[in-house]
Amino acid sequence: MYATKLKVFLVFSIMSLGIAHYGFGQQDYEEGYIVTDKNDTVYGQVSDRKTGPFSKIYKRIRFRGKGLKKQFSPKKILAYKKGGETFRSMLLDGENHFFKVISKGYVSHYVYELQEQGEQLVQEIDYLQKQGNGDLVRATQGILGIKRKKLAQLFYDCPKLVEKINNKDLKSVSEIVTFYNLWKKEGS
């Protein structure tokens, strides 16, 4: 009788672990959509990273929806949304990558997420893009903060902002983006 109870307990425990593992695997997918290279929007579930102790950012996103289960590289889709975050496929150093959209406007703010192989830490690198100009400009230099000279050159058309950047009055990329977009909206 003891052996039977032990077998039942072991079977139940193994099944519970399997269900828990399956449940954790499902957390990587969130409601969202992809925008195809033909500009069609397809809704479903999206996963762009593995979470948990062995987390990693995928080079190709995973998509499930409307009978479709596929992986997409940044070359194959224009954008995707996962949960509350939107990502765009953009060219950087001659290669397409996914960038998280932080804000859009006269100057748009994007973040490139980078994870070295075998590392848990995700590095976030800020990039800016002025409206009408396809070039991405790196706005930060890691722990050293914003690239003041580069940003002063980028915003040459707004002397007030250049002065604030040089005087270190604005300390974050978001502050700079907000200032410039408000200045443009008010008619320079």
Side-chain angles (χ1 to χ4, degrees):
M1 181 147 162
Y2 176 74
T4 305
K5 285 184 179 180
L6 184 60
K7 285 180 187 176
V8 169
F9 174 75
L10 286 173
V11 168
F12 180 73
S13 297
I14 290 170
M15 287 176 51
S16 296
L17 286 174
I19 290 169
H21 178 72
Y22 176 79
F24 286 124
Q26 299 306 305
Q27 290 177 351
D28 294 343
Y29 280 88
E30 292 186 54
E31 290 299 316
Y33 60 79
I34 60 169
V35 179
T36 68
D37 54 0
K38 292 176 178 62
N39 225 14
D40 294 326
T41 303
V42 184
Y43 292 88
Q45 294 188 317
V46 179
S47 176
D48 62 357
R49 64 196 68 212
K50 180 180 181 197
T51 57
F54 301 104
S55 65
K56 76 176 198 174
I57 297 174
Y58 299 135
K59 291 186 189 287
R60 303 159 140 249
I61 64 147
R62 279 102 167 113
F63 179 79
R64 300 190 299 212
K66 298 196 180 192
L68 182 68
K69 186 175 182 183
K70 245 182 146 174
Q71 295 182 18
F72 294 97
S73 71
K75 277 179 114 172
K76 297 292 181 187
I77 60 174
L78 300 175
Y80 71 92
K81 182 172 183 173
K82 180 188 81 134
E85 297 178 325
T86 304
F87 294 79
R88 277 189 62 192
S89 174
M90 301 174 77
L91 208 57
L92 178 67
D93 299 330
E95 194 175 323
N96 284 72
H97 297 277
F98 289 122
F99 287 81
K100 186 188 319 183
V101 179
I102 304 301
S103 66
K104 298 205 43 97
Y106 296 103
V107 66
S108 296
H109 181 189
Y110 302 100
V111 167
Y112 177 62
E113 296 177 312
L114 177 68
Q115 188 175 28
E116 298 294 331
Q117 190 171 1
E119 291 288 323
Q120 297 274 39
L121 182 67
V122 175
Q123 299 173 36
E124 293 187 338
I125 303 168
D126 295 274
Y127 283 87
L128 299 179
Q129 183 182 48
K130 274 182 137 177
Q131 201 172 54
N133 182 356
D135 295 336
L136 286 170
V137 176
R138 186 168 175 176
T140 54
Q141 49 192 0
I143 60 171
L144 301 175
I146 61 175
K147 291 183 160 227
R148 295 190 187 285
K149 287 181 184 176
K150 186 73 115 177
L151 295 180
Q153 290 171 353
L154 180 65
F155 297 112
Y156 70 92
D157 58 328
C158 181
K160 265 181 154 175
L161 179 55
V162 171
E163 183 181 326
K164 288 187 171 292
I165 290 170
N166 289 334
N167 291 339
K168 301 181 181 179
D169 293 337
L170 302 176
K171 301 201 184 317
S172 73
V173 175
S174 293
E175 288 177 314
I176 292 168
V177 168
T178 301
F179 186 96
Y180 185 78
N181 285 334
L182 190 60
W183 176 78
K184 286 293 274 188
K185 185 178 178 184
E186 292 173 351
S188 308

